[in-house]
Amino acid sequence: MKIAVVGGGPGGLYFAALMKQLDPAHEVTVWERNAASDTFGFGVVFSDETLGGIGNADTVIADYMSRRFARWSDIDIHFRGEMHTVGGQGFAAMSRKELLELLQRRCIELGVDVRFSTMAPDVEQLSADYDLVLAADGLNSAIRARFADSFKPSLDPRVSKYMWLGTDQVFEAFKFFVKETDAGTMQIHGYPYSDEGSTFIVETHEDVWRAAGFDETEHEVFAPGVSDEKAVAKITAIFADELAGHEVLTNNSKWINFTTVRNQNWRHENIVLLGDAAHTAHFSIGSGTKLAMEDALALAACLHEQGTVEAALEAYETERRPVVESTQRAAQASMEWFENIGQYKDQDPVQFCFNLLTRSRRITYDNLKLRDTGFAQKVDTDFARLSGSPEVAPAMFQPYRIGQLELVNRVVVSPMDMYSAVDGVPGDFHLVHLGSKAMGGAGLVMTEMVCVSDIGRITPGCTGLYNDEQATAWKRITDYVHANSNAKIGAQIGHSGRKGSTRLMWEGIDEPLETGNWEVLSPSAIPYGEGCHVPAEITRAQMDEVREQFVAAARRADAAGFDLLELHAAHGYLLSSFLSPLSNRRTDEYGGSLENRLRYPLEVLDAVRAAWPAHKPVGARISATDWVEGGNTEDDALAIAQAFIDHGIDSIDVSSGQIVRDERPAFGRSYQTPFADKIRNQVAAAAGVAVIAVGAISSYDDVNSILLAGRADLVALGRTHLYNPQWTLQAAAEQDYAGAGASWPLPFKAGRRKPPSARTDAVRPRLSLLKEEQIDEQVHLRWTPAKDASTEDLVPSV
């Protein structure tokens, strides 16, 4: 093959070396506009997984790299005057300059034509003259821009500022310095890369950056290679204690906003994107160099394995895209966590450390426990102290109180519509459904949305609390729950609004009834989506009527024995549709600004709160984002939550979306938890209001991780409890927990020990003289280079 590589960074050079190694007959030419000696940045970090791949692909490069690595396993987190160390992580880093030198040398050894200080020819000419053109031209890829119609790039510049620096202080571990300054929270990401220095990245939200006066040089244009020395001087002063007399080193160091790059397609004819040209992932989760070299390895392998360039490029994208997208999801979560780090400034230091470590959701409590058992035990002990509990136990089994309501644990059965009532009356199905979940160990069991009127139902199968027959049927269920479990039971009440008069879920969710339709109401005469009912705009008189229906339902819920009441102000139902600008286009005092859109839901809340007993808590479920441009955002959700808190709410159940049919949710594991996290740590915790996290949470490990990090106070699971009504008790058995937080009904007690399922569960004889705990020091590896280590240059520069 004849191959053109545009960009002489690590990804382009590594790909060139691999292709020549696979077949010396390949003609590979690399164009790099910078000189061979030019490099920006300091150290680059690799995972053990990536290093294994490099070792398998090219032992020469792997050997070069291994002789230059700084290796360590510890993370030191400095926060609020304390340092906590977590081991068992596994890092390897080296100088970016040395990495480039060894890759340059390897390419020349193998016969690659590397042209430094040379602009590449026009890409269309390259495409005509070469079998393959590799666009490894970085974040600001000119080739990607040239064929934007094919690649369909998405560039997302973020709100935080960062500067890539170095220091002659040699850190022993990965360092997070989180510092509260007069301007706000700033942080340092630091790690060693040799026996002579460390990477030192300063990052802060743009608001803090401006408050600190760093915008003094905002409009200065720095020549390539020139650093922002004024900013560096300020950074040196702010982090003087952390630097401990050491110098800050610069290399083209200036303030940058991180940009997340995504492309719908990575290839155009025989041109393919690699590394930062194709995708970026925030530096807090790993290095772009790592991703680029992994890309190079996969692309070279696919070209070698496939019969045509077209097939190879398709195989490359098919293989790499899921890996990259997974990394980008984790990086997005990590990046957003650091963007919002100021909301955690008052957290307990141990909880903060756990929160930081689990920010991307790739590390969980159980994973951390495998890495560093001692620190995991510290997290458990600290959470028990924060909970006021004398018992150190899994977080999910620590008790919690919503207002004056005591819960034995922090697991909630999420409200789930069952569409199985007749004329709004719950029957035996609901008794078994909710009774089994309560006996299954959850601390709080929530009903489906119980409708406040017949025309407030979603479907003909929805339950209600708009007559006494329904209230009597509900009392049968609450009596059963109270008599047969330690669970509390809450009623979620709501009005379907424009999403009413539809078929049962399994007959066509959100599809209008074929017969028997009833009038549907909404703030404005806008349908939920194409093919849905056009609602009537609710009048002031109807608003009064519906408010009183909520009040009557609340009184019946109290008489029926419910312990908690939750207003459904989410998912596009009536109260939710008042909150969203997508469904509320009113021109009176109930439309327009968010303050106006809140007016009616707050009227209903005030009326319900007055009718509901003061000693019983009232909660609300909200949609934290509409997932559509022009709809409510998570910042609007903060204002909504604060308004509900100001009006006496005791708990906030944080969901999202379902406001309009054409929403585009970012589905994924625990994908709604960041919304709960933001509401809890910015407005709810200070007011003593409980926050409930929901959304694609299915493992007890994730539940514990969310609680231990302080992202929520309670966790609600829906489909998980449909899969296994005894999920909470099973989680207790699998964690070897036996205590007040998991009460087994007496007839079920024989099942509280996990039954053996195979020979692998059998009790094994002891065959070791020493227990593993006696060699736990292996968990903690620090980078402590020998003072007399040879400084001989193993890889001469090109």
Side-chain angles (χ1 to χ4, degrees), residues 504-727:
L504 304 183
M505 179 180 66
W506 43 88
E507 294 174 352
I509 191 166
D510 297 322
E511 296 292 331
L513 289 170
E514 293 180 349
T515 60
N517 279 294
W518 56 83
E519 181 183 42
V520 295
L521 303 174
S522 186
S524 303
I526 304 170
Y528 173 64
E530 187 177 350
C532 297
H533 293 295
V534 177
E537 182 173 303
I538 191 170
T539 66
R540 178 65 256 190
Q542 289 172 319
M543 289 164 64
D544 291 341
E545 181 183 5
V546 170
R547 183 192 63 224
E548 294 311 309
Q549 289 169 349
F550 271 93
V551 169
R555 290 189 174 124
R556 286 192 177 96
D558 177 41
F562 284 104
D563 303 299
L564 174 146
L565 195 70
E566 181 175 277
L567 291 186
H568 202 333
H571 298 171
Y573 299 121
L574 184 63
L575 297 184
S576 171
S577 62
F578 267 93
L579 294 172
S580 174
L582 299 175
S583 48
N584 183 349
R585 305 282 175 82
R586 298 176 75 96
T587 56
D588 61 8
E589 67 269 32
Y590 295 97
S593 68
L594 179 57
E595 181 182 8
N596 284 357
R597 301 198 308 273
L598 270 161
R599 198 181 301 273
Y600 183 63
L602 292 177
E603 280 185 18
V604 174
L605 170 58
D606 290 343
V608 166
R609 178 73 270 186
W612 183 250
H615 69 280
K616 291 185 179 183
V618 172
R621 171 170 271 201
I622 66 171
S623 285
T625 179
D626 292 350
W627 297 115
V628 174
E629 187 176 352
N632 281 333
T633 66
E634 56 192 273
D635 289 330
D636 296 316
L638 285 174
I640 292 168
Q642 184 64 66
F644 283 168
I645 290 169
D646 292 342
H647 282 251
I649 213 82
D650 296 294
S651 62
I652 300 178
D653 187 354
V654 186
S655 186
S656 70
Q658 300 181 51
I659 309 299
V660 292
R661 204 167 192 173
D662 59 348
E663 65 178 0
R664 293 291 182 270
F667 286 122
R669 176 172 139 255
S670 305
Y671 72 106
Q672 295 178 142
T673 300
F675 305 131
D677 185 355
K678 193 166 189 173
I679 288 172
R680 181 185 187 273
N681 287 291
Q682 291 198 29
V683 297
V689 171
V691 170
I692 305 171
V694 304
I697 303 166
S698 58
S699 72
Y700 64 76
D701 186 24
D702 281 337
V703 172
N704 286 329
S705 299
I706 289 166
L707 296 170
L708 288 167
R711 298 186 178 110
D713 302 295
L714 300 155
V715 178
L717 303 94
R719 292 178 178 86
T720 303
H721 280 113
L722 298 180
Y723 180 75
N724 179 5
Q726 275 78 39
W727 181 83

Side-chain angles (χ1 to χ4, degrees), residues 384-587:
R385 177 183 62 80
L386 294 174
S387 303
S389 171
E391 178 188 28
V392 176
M396 64 187 290
F397 295 115
Q398 290 291 2
Y400 190 75
R401 190 172 72 180
I402 304 176
Q404 299 179 43
L405 182 66
E406 299 280 353
L407 303 179
V408 295
N409 63 47
R410 300 184 182 227
V411 178
V412 179
V413 175
S414 200
M416 294 174 283
D417 289 316
M418 293 288 107
Y419 310 107
S420 300
V422 177
D423 295 327
V425 178
D428 288 347
F429 174 89
H430 300 85
L431 176 69
V432 173
H433 163 56
L434 295 170
S436 66
K437 308 303 182 291
M439 293 173 68
L444 175 63
V445 176
M446 293 298 302
T447 68
E448 61 197 84
M449 185 177 88
V450 182
C451 304
V452 298
S453 71
D454 57 346
I455 70 164
R457 291 177 297 164
I458 309 166
T459 74
C462 291
T463 59
L465 264 172
Y466 49 86
N467 62 44
D468 292 340
E469 181 187 3
Q470 294 160 355
T472 299
W474 280 118
K475 190 169 191 314
R476 176 174 174 241
I477 293 170
T478 63
D479 284 348
Y480 182 89
V481 168
H482 291 143
N484 292 279
S485 75
N486 287 334
K488 306 299 182 185
I489 183 166
Q492 183 190 75
I493 60 172
H495 188 293
S496 59
R498 66 178 185 170
K499 295 175 75 174
S501 191
T502 59
R503 304 177 196 178
L504 304 183
M505 179 180 66
W506 43 88
E507 294 174 352
I509 191 166
D510 297 322
E511 296 292 331
L513 289 170
E514 293 180 349
T515 60
N517 279 294
W518 56 83
E519 181 183 42
V520 295
L521 303 174
S522 186
S524 303
I526 304 170
Y528 173 64
E530 187 177 350
C532 297
H533 293 295
V534 177
E537 182 173 303
I538 191 170
T539 66
R540 178 65 256 190
Q542 289 172 319
M543 289 164 64
D544 291 341
E545 181 183 5
V546 170
R547 183 192 63 224
E548 294 311 309
Q549 289 169 349
F550 271 93
V551 169
R555 290 189 174 124
R556 286 192 177 96
D558 177 41
F562 284 104
D563 303 299
L564 174 146
L565 195 70
E566 181 175 277
L567 291 186
H568 202 333
H571 298 171
Y573 299 121
L574 184 63
L575 297 184
S576 171
S577 62
F578 267 93
L579 294 172
S580 174
L582 299 175
S583 48
N584 183 349
R585 305 282 175 82
R586 298 176 75 96
T587 56

